[in-house]
Amino acid sequence: MSQRNTGVTSQVVNAEACPVKEVLDRVTGKWSVQIIVAAAHGPIRFTELERGVEGISRRMLTLTLRNLERDGLVTRTVHPTVPPKVEYELTEPARELHCTLLSLTEWAERNRVYIAESRASYDDEHRPELVDV
Amino acid sequence: MSQRNTGVTSQVVNAEACPVKEVLDRVTGKWSVQIIVAAAHGPIRFTELERGVEGISRRMLTLTLRNLERDGLVTRTVHPTVPPKVEYELTEPARELHCTLLSLTEWAERNRVYIAESRASYDDEHRPELVDV
DNA sequence: CGGAATCCTTGTAGATACTG
DNA sequence: CAGTATCTACAAGGATTCCG
C-alpha cells in the first residue's frame, strides 16, 4: 500500500487513523447490532436474546456476545444459582452507540421507499437475462 | 441456488421488516461506507476512489459501486472522452446517510481508547495458554 | 481509464452434539 | 440454562487477466 499521497488530496483516512473502519469492523458482523438493539432495554438473558434476535444460532450468539464483551460493550453477569443464569447488559458506550444507530434506523425508514424504487428501476433497466437462451 | 458466485450480495437478501437490518445489509458491506465517505466531497473518479479508499480491490470497488448505484445512493456519469472518464457522485439520500455516519465516526473516536483498553484487559484475563508451567 | 470475467483463499455462519 | 466443540458450506473478498 502506497502511503504516499500521490498528489491527490487523500481526504480519506490514513489507514491507521480511520475510526470509521474500526466501527464498521465491529458493526459489520451480521448480529452485533441486532444484539445491541435487543439488549438496549436492560439486562437480558442468553435465552431471551436467542429468541429476541430470532434467526441467530446459539453459536453465533455466543461468539458475538464474546466479542461485544471483549470490546467492553456488554457486561456479562453470572448468577451462581442452580439453574445457571447469565445476564448481559449494555455498557454506557454501547448505549451511546445504540442512540447513534437509531438515527441510522430513522434514515432507513425515511429512505426505504426511495431505495426500493431505485432498485426496481435499476433492475428494470439492467435486465439481467433479457437475452433468453 | 445460482450457478456461480459473482461476489457480494448481488441479490436482495430477503429483507425483513426491520429497517435496521435493511440498513445494515446495505452498510454491512466492508466497503460501502468508506466509499460514501470518500465520495462525500463531490464527484469523484473511479481511479481516485481506488486510491482514496486504499485497500480496496478493483473488483470490490466495481461491485460496491454497482450496488450503491442500484440503491440510488450514487450516480454514475460517463464522459465520452477518449480516455474514458466516469464520475461518481452521492445522491441526496446518500449525503444524509453520510451525515448520520459522521456521528458513528464521532462515537468511534470518542470510544476508541476505551475499546482498545477493554480488549487489552479482556485478552489479559482470558490468557490463552495460562497453563501451569 | 474503467470495468468485466475468472480463479482461489478465507471468514462467517449454520447444524449438530456434548458438557457443567 | 448457558454455553463448547466440531464439521461443513457458502459467499465475501483478493489477485490476476483481458477487453472496450
Side-chain angles (χ1 to χ4, degrees), chain B residues 81-131:
Chain B
T81 56
V82 169
K85 178 179 178 180
V86 181
E87 284 188 319
Y88 293 90
E89 187 172 13
L90 296 190
T91 60
E92 199 41 45
R95 266 190 283 269
E96 292 174 20
L97 174 59
H98 177 240
C99 290
T100 304
L101 292 175
L102 286 183
S103 57
L104 255 189
T105 307
E106 191 199 341
W107 177 87
E109 281 178 12
R110 281 206 318 273
N111 297 97
R112 171 192 294 176
V113 174
Y114 169 79
I115 290 176
E117 288 175 354
S118 297
R119 283 194 181 178
S121 66
Y122 183 94
D123 292 347
D124 188 54
E125 291 166 22
H126 301 73
R127 213 78 70 86
E129 327 256 334
L130 198 53
V131 287

